[in-house]
């Protein structure tokens, strides 16, 4: 059983280091600067500035609504991922000497995004369900814009957009699962009561080192199938 335990812990360590399928622990600046410096079009420059503020929009809305609805786990956890998304785009901006303002939470240089921030916060403040729907709306918008802006983008930009896209799909699943009863965030696919180190087949109640086949009461490492409390990846 010691070998089983060691193997499970090793897997956990690897997944944790990889950021659960997201951008992982790799320094975004190192990754971006390892590729050639291209001659960007004006559209690519404007797109980078826009996407930086759109990722900030997601972070700021979630932080704001998360203060009111601390029981909605995606709102509490995902802002850290959105900050990593901002950091990745900022690495591209720095590489090409493109300046953006360091605005506080809730403030944006782009008037369109500023207006959208106020609208989304107002909509999400009405109820927990509305707040969750706002999360779904933001992630769908992010996915659409990333797909559009990576077309004809240079490879270093495209690589970052692709990683952000994977993260946005994970975030969308987290909000959608929560809206459908919280399967991913409550007793579903995370580090809780699911298929991992929670209540299930592990070292809990069952056939493992306890009463289960996993390291807890589930098949994951928490409330579901992941190693967190949701499926938002990076």
């Amino acid at each position: 059983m010691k070998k089983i335990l060691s193997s499970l812990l090793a897997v956990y360590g690897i997944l944790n280091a990889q950021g659960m399928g997201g951008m992982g622990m790799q320094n975004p600046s190192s990754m971006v600067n390892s590729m050639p410096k291209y001659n960007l079009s004006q559209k690519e420059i404007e797109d980078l500035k826009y996407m930086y503020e759109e990722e900030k929009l997601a972070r700021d809305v979630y932080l704001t609504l998360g203060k009111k609805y601390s029981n909605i786990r995606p709102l509490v956890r995902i802002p850290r991922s959105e900050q990593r998304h901002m950091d990745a785009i900022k690495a591209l901006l720095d590489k090409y000497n493109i300046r953006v303002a360091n605005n506080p939470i809730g403030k944006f240089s782009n008037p369109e995004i500023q207006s959208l921030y106020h609208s989304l916060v107002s909509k999400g403040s009405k109820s927990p369900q509305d707040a969750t729907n706002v999360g779904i709306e933001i992630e769908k918008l992010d996915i659409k814009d990333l797909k559009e802006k990576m077309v004809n983008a240079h490879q270093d930009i495209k690589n970052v957009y692709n990683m952000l896209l994977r993260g946005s799909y994970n975030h969308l699943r987290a909000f959608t699962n929560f809206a459908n009863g919280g399967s991913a965030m409550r007793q579903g696919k995370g580090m809780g009561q699911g298929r991992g180190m929670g209540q299930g087949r592990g070292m809990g109640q069952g056939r493992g080192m306890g009463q289960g086949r996993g390291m807890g009461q589930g098949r994951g490492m928490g409330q579901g199938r992941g190693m967190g409390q949701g499926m938002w990846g990076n």
Side-chain angles (χ1 to χ4, degrees):
M1 297 305 296
K2 289 183 178 179
K3 290 183 178 180
I4 295 175
L5 175 59
S6 298
S7 298
L8 289 170
L9 291 175
V11 170
Y12 175 82
I14 292 170
L15 292 174
N16 188 53
Q18 293 177 339
M20 298 304 299
M23 292 176 63
M25 303 301 291
Q26 185 176 12
N27 185 312
S29 295
S30 298
M31 178 190 68
V32 166
N33 291 317
S34 67
M35 299 192 67
K37 190 172 184 178
Y38 304 100
N39 292 320
L40 302 187
S41 67
Q42 189 60 38
K43 181 180 185 304
E44 286 178 297
I45 293 173
E46 294 304 318
D47 285 348
L48 281 173
K49 293 162 67 175
Y50 187 90
M51 289 311 302
Y52 179 76
E53 287 221 303
E54 187 168 287
E55 297 299 339
K56 182 180 183 299
L57 169 72
R59 186 201 67 176
D60 291 4
V61 170
Y62 299 158
L63 285 172
T64 302
L65 294 179
K67 291 179 180 179
K68 184 172 184 178
Y69 303 115
S70 59
N71 62 314
I72 301 179
R73 301 305 292 272
L75 289 178
V76 176
R77 295 302 184 94
I78 291 178
R80 287 177 290 185
S81 296
E82 299 298 350
Q83 180 62 59
R84 290 196 292 272
H85 290 193
M86 291 174 61
D87 294 342
I89 297 180
K90 186 60 165 60
L92 285 167
L93 292 168
D94 290 344
K95 175 179 178 178
Y96 292 103
N97 298 314
I98 303 169
R99 294 185 178 181
V100 291
N102 184 23
N103 290 317
I105 293 173
K107 299 296 181 182
F108 301 87
S109 299
N110 186 298
E112 176 186 346
I113 294 181
Q114 183 69 69
S115 177
L116 188 56
Y117 169 81
H118 291 305
S119 174
L120 292 169
V121 169
S122 177
K123 186 189 303 185
S125 297
K126 294 177 181 178
S127 71
Q129 185 62 54
D130 286 308
T132 305
N133 288 338
V134 161
I136 293 173
E137 181 178 345
I138 289 174
E139 297 304 332
K140 285 183 176 180
L141 174 65
D142 201 35
I143 289 168
K144 178 182 74 69
D145 287 345
L146 285 168
K147 285 182 175 180
E148 289 177 354
K149 296 183 187 310
M150 73 171 61
V151 176
N152 297 324
H154 283 93
Q155 194 60 50
D156 53 349
I157 297 176
K158 189 172 293 187
N159 288 349
V160 170
Y161 284 171
N162 269 316
M163 286 190 295
L164 268 55
L165 186 63
R166 289 197 296 270
S168 293
Y169 274 119
N170 287 336
H171 300 171
L172 177 60
R173 282 195 293 270
F175 279 113
T176 302
N177 286 335
F178 195 92
N180 292 334
S183 61
M185 312 309 301
R186 296 186 183 119
Q187 296 182 0
K189 302 175 180 180
M191 288 183 74
Q193 300 174 357
R195 299 182 178 180
M197 297 180 74
Q199 299 179 359
R201 302 179 178 180
M203 299 181 67
Q205 300 178 1
R207 300 182 182 179
M209 292 182 68
Q211 298 180 358
R213 294 182 184 176
M215 293 186 72
Q217 296 181 354
R219 295 182 184 175
M221 295 189 87
Q223 298 179 356
R225 296 181 184 177
M227 285 186 150
Q229 298 190 14
M231 293 182 65
W232 47 80
N234 58 328

